[in-house]
């Protein structure tokens, strides 16, 4: 880490939009007919996401793929004409992944929403990339199994693969990295590749599955996804514990993890966030920092886990656990947690949220987080703080007036300071949202130039015309 | 899977040894002095492994690296002169990884055996690539943590990364794929890359860590490894359960996994293997198919798990569990399991073992395994069968007279038939040993030509002179 300090946060890359050849548009429309939209409103819907970036010119067209063949045909054309292609699922990126920085087409896979095969006896399911996490869980409900990965949004499985998503259950069940068994991917030239198998483990060749997971649409477009499922736990208990300080809450989490308690979910919600979700969802929670926890296991196992954590919490000044006694009450709490972003945005009408996403080794969590809280408090920028703290991952959302250059700059300065702190602690700039546009400078700082050179070499080998989501993750 | 049937098992590739330029050897010796050995016996030790391949000409020299700089310098020279480099750790490959099919140098990292940092508070440890799994566990013993991945041999961490190894604990703790956080890797041109961080999860760029894990020395040479550690479980119980048939044993495992019992280890040992380990280690086990199991958790949790599995076993005709009551007794049993290969080889003096390594979705385990047992029985080739059956992974070891072309051909025919069956069941030809030389034909059948083309493109981009373990995994 002795590299000279560089400006960490990259603004929008200064890439000229590419000329879209008329022959390409003609061929595209001939092939896709009404599946190809050029209406302004459709293009605009596909040229933005949940990030705080200001609007920029949208993609030149939107193709609604209905099959792998559609994706392959669109990519063959784009490859031939060197036209950018940006895969689109639910549009819930927080990092600018969907912005058409060089124009081109948005390839919307949301119509590819078939659950292809539920293999309950093997605890696996295969779906098309446009299936969302909620739809997936609905589809497997009757089997007694569930899919745990739950980013805030009801994202598509394809998008969740592409950003290596995780969420509140990752502390126990892992992230997309650990839970994807196999993929079908269309490569830049339109060739269709299957990666992995339904075997639980494999040493057969390069791990193309995990190369594609987290590649943010820059190496291929994911069309089918096979993931692991888990038996619904015999017993589930959810509890809230409020604390006199963020520090007490965080130290409770650190000790819980270090003891190896197999807690299923442990989310930090700061007092700001509690106020916001209280107002948004009429929850009436005590407006103090709190942990929202869930325990999975046998009835005795759940009791043992909860007792251990309650003991730790009490020693650190935490209050008695308040239990969510019914499944409905549990769902209400977790929905509130998932809606924290929307509650925050609603708290300052017209604002946008600049979200941070650092993740650090658990022993450094308190240091990293508390210093950043102090900086955020001092800045005067309204913010909320939530986190998958069991993994060492947390999110500040700085609520800025998007028209205020000053607020944006101050928020980005807070973000930059936090990221530098996390990297110094051997952590990462992104726990689960991906790099997109927003963290390109951070990635260079974190990974270093030699690792970036390897990533570039792979990108150039697999996408020689740089058509797949160009201008994202790193510059070429 | 509608590709035409092709001969699955590739014999040794017919690659001409490359000419080693005199200038290269001079430069190598000038740089490495006594760290560079050319004595016949040292070269021969480095040109073979635990596979059944007949001896072939050894590498032209062996370099004993003592630092990352050594590895980098050796690779820079090799890159410049297009000389093959084969990384060497403990020499325990079962698939021909270490054979110098094109000559070149063996780069032995076994002297790079420092434990660099134990971060007990984060449940991570960083070691040099030549540290073995037993050495690692010794080094962290006092922290109350352990590293669960345990291939049969006392392999090096570098080698375990390179083959994406697993072992008996994988059913609960995952494989190297899930347990490596970060690597230091020297690329073909000598550049040193750090992949990953110590954060538990990350979405920061391409997953170079997992691209390197399982790349079998063909994309880079691993010099440092950061892995996860786990708290030693509060309670551990080990039990043996013998069964009237392999089928009953296997069906017990299938139900256990489908119920989601978090069993820590569940190994199948067939009656042949029991006989062999009895003789080798004087164990006195009942010579019937058996499951060797271990349960980790709280005392109550362990009891609950064991009770569930005992109930399932009984219903399928299994005997009462016999408990290993002391840690010493447990160690004796697991050592016997780990020595099954050596026990088997000792049972037929002068023989070599051709090992299979298929892994299938758990619901297909009985079908895959039982058909293969019937074929093996009919063949007359002596064999043993052990397996990490909780993962759907098992190993036949066909004990052949290495001088008998006929026995070798019949054993390979059994292997081929098993692999085809596994692939038809959406499984894999390799659960944990890697492809090496032995499964190159199988990989093509399993992954398909488009996926192989992606692997080749990556290889060519990162190793343009094809110096890193050439002729392994796939042909160029």
């Amino acid at each position: 880490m002795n590299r000279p300090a560089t400006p960490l946060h990259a603004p929008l890359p200064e890439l000229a939009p590419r000329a879209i050849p008329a022959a390409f548009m003609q061929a595209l429309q001939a092939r896709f007919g009404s599946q190809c939209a050029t209406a302004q409103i459709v293009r605009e819907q596909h040229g933005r996401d949940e990030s705080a970036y200001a609007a920029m010119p949208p993609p030149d067209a939107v193709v609604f793929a209905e099959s792998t063949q559609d994706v392959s045909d669109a990519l063959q054309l784009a490859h031939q004409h060197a036209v950018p292609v940006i895969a689109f699922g639910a549009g819930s990126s927080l990092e600018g992944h969907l912005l058409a920085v060089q124009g081109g087409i948005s390839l919307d896979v949301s119509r590819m929403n078939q659950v292809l095969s539920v293999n309950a006896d093997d605890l696996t399911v295969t779906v098309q990339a446009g299936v969302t996490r909620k739809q997936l869980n609905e589809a497997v409900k009757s089997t007694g199994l569930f899919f745990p990965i739950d980013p805030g949004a009801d994202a598509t499985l394809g998008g969740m693969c592409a950003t290596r998503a995780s969420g509140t259950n990752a502390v126990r069940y892992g992230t997309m990295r650990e839970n994807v068994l196999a993929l079908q991917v269309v490569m830049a030239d339109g060739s269709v590749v299957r990666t992995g198998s339904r075997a639980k483990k494999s040493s057969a060749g390069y791990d193309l599955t995990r190369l594609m997971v987290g590649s943010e649409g820059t190496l291929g477009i994911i069309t089918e996804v096979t993931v692991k499922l888990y038996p619904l736990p015999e017993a589930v208990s959810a509890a809230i514990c409020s604390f006199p300080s963020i520090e007490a809450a965080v130290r409770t989490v650190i000790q819980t993890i270090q003891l190896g308690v197999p807690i299923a979910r442990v989310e930090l919600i700061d007092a700001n966030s509690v106020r916001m979700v209280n107002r948004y969802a009429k929850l009436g929670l005590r407006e103090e920092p709190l942990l929202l926890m869930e325990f999975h296991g046998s009835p005795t196992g759940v009791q043992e886990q909860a007792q251990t954590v309650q003991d730790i919490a009490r020693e650190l000044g935490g209050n008695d656990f308040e239990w969510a006694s019914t499944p409905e009450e549990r769902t209400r709490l977790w929905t509130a947690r998932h809606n924290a972003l929307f509650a925050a945005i609603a708290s300052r009408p017209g604002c946008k949220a600049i979200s941070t996403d650092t993740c650090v080794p658990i022993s450094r969590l308190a240091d990293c987080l508390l210093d950043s809280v102090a900086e955020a408090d001092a800045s005067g920028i309204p913010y909320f703080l939530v986190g998958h703290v069991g993994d060492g991952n947390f999110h500040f959302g700085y609520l800025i007036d998007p028209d205020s250059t000053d607020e944006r700059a101050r928020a980005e300065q807070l973000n930059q300071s936090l990221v530098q702190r996390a990297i110094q602690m051997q952590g990462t700039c992104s726990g689960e949202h991906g790099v997109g546009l927003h963290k390109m400078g951070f990635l260079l700082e974190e990974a270093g130039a030699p690792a970036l050179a390897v990533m570039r070499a792979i990108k150039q080998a697999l996408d020689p015309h740089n058509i797949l989501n160009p201008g994202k993750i790193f510059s070429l």
Side-chain angles (χ1 to χ4, degrees), chain A residues 102-375:
Chain A
Q102 291 202 291
I105 63 170
S106 173
L107 193 56
D108 184 322
V109 300
S110 63
R111 293 185 188 170
M112 294 178 64
N113 62 358
Q114 300 301 303
V115 174
L116 298 173
S117 63
V118 180
N119 297 94
D121 288 347
D122 293 319
L123 298 88
T124 74
V125 61
T126 300
V127 300
Q128 287 187 308
V131 167
T132 70
R133 66 177 180 85
K134 287 184 184 169
Q135 186 195 345
L136 169 55
N137 272 315
E138 271 305 311
V140 301
K141 208 172 175 180
S142 64
T143 63
L145 303 173
F146 78 113
F147 178 65
I149 319 292
D150 64 338
D154 187 21
T156 61
L157 270 287
M160 289 167 66
C161 286
T163 54
R164 206 181 291 127
S166 47
T168 67
N169 285 299
V171 61
R172 167 120 174 202
Y173 297 93
T175 71
M176 291 303 277
R177 180 174 76 187
E178 287 81 21
N179 284 288
V180 179
L181 285 169
L183 296 171
Q184 184 191 64
V185 185
V186 183
M187 307 302 293
D189 63 1
S191 64
V192 180
V193 166
R194 287 196 171 274
T195 75
S197 70
R198 289 205 304 114
K200 192 182 157 204
K201 63 182 196 178
S202 171
S203 290
Y206 300 164
D207 192 345
L208 299 184
T209 305
R210 259 138 293 270
L211 181 63
M212 293 298 163
V213 169
S215 64
E216 306 187 9
T218 67
L219 295 180
I221 293 187
I222 294 165
T223 45
E224 290 181 17
V225 183
T226 301
V227 292
K228 296 184 197 172
L229 299 172
Y230 295 83
L232 282 166
E234 200 188 338
V236 175
S237 293
I240 287 173
C241 182
S242 55
F243 289 85
S245 67
I246 290 185
E247 178 164 8
V250 169
R251 295 211 181 276
T252 298
V253 174
I254 293 175
Q255 287 191 31
T256 299
I257 298 300
Q258 289 177 341
L259 271 176
V261 178
I263 194 165
R265 300 164 123 173
V266 54
E267 295 288 308
L268 172 71
I269 307 185
D270 80 334
N272 292 342
S273 310
V274 176
R275 267 191 298 280
M276 293 166 185
V277 299
N278 268 350
R279 201 167 327 154
Y280 189 76
K282 314 223 175 343
L283 280 182
L285 297 170
R286 193 195 312 223
E287 295 187 352
E288 286 175 356
L290 60 81
L291 293 177
L292 177 49
M293 291 165 286
E294 202 166 274
F295 304 95
H296 295 177
S298 69
T300 344
V302 161
Q303 263 185 354
E304 285 177 349
Q305 293 173 43
Q307 192 55 54
T308 305
V309 182
Q310 172 74 80
D311 291 348
I312 298 169
R314 249 194 226 117
E315 232 170 75
L316 289 157
N319 289 304
D320 287 348
F321 283 12
E322 297 166 50
W323 294 96
S325 42
T326 64
E328 292 69 31
E329 175 66 8
R330 268 206 320 270
T331 304
R332 206 165 75 98
L333 285 176
W334 287 108
T335 304
R337 164 64 191 89
H338 278 130
N339 288 337
L341 173 65
F342 309 110
I345 287 173
S347 75
R348 188 181 181 191
C351 78
K352 289 210 174 193
I354 291 183
S355 180
T356 74
D357 186 26
T358 51
C359 183
V360 292
I362 193 79
S363 74
R364 309 307 304 274
L365 178 62
D367 294 341
C368 186
L369 194 147
L370 296 172
D371 285 356
S372 304
V373 166
E375 283 183 355

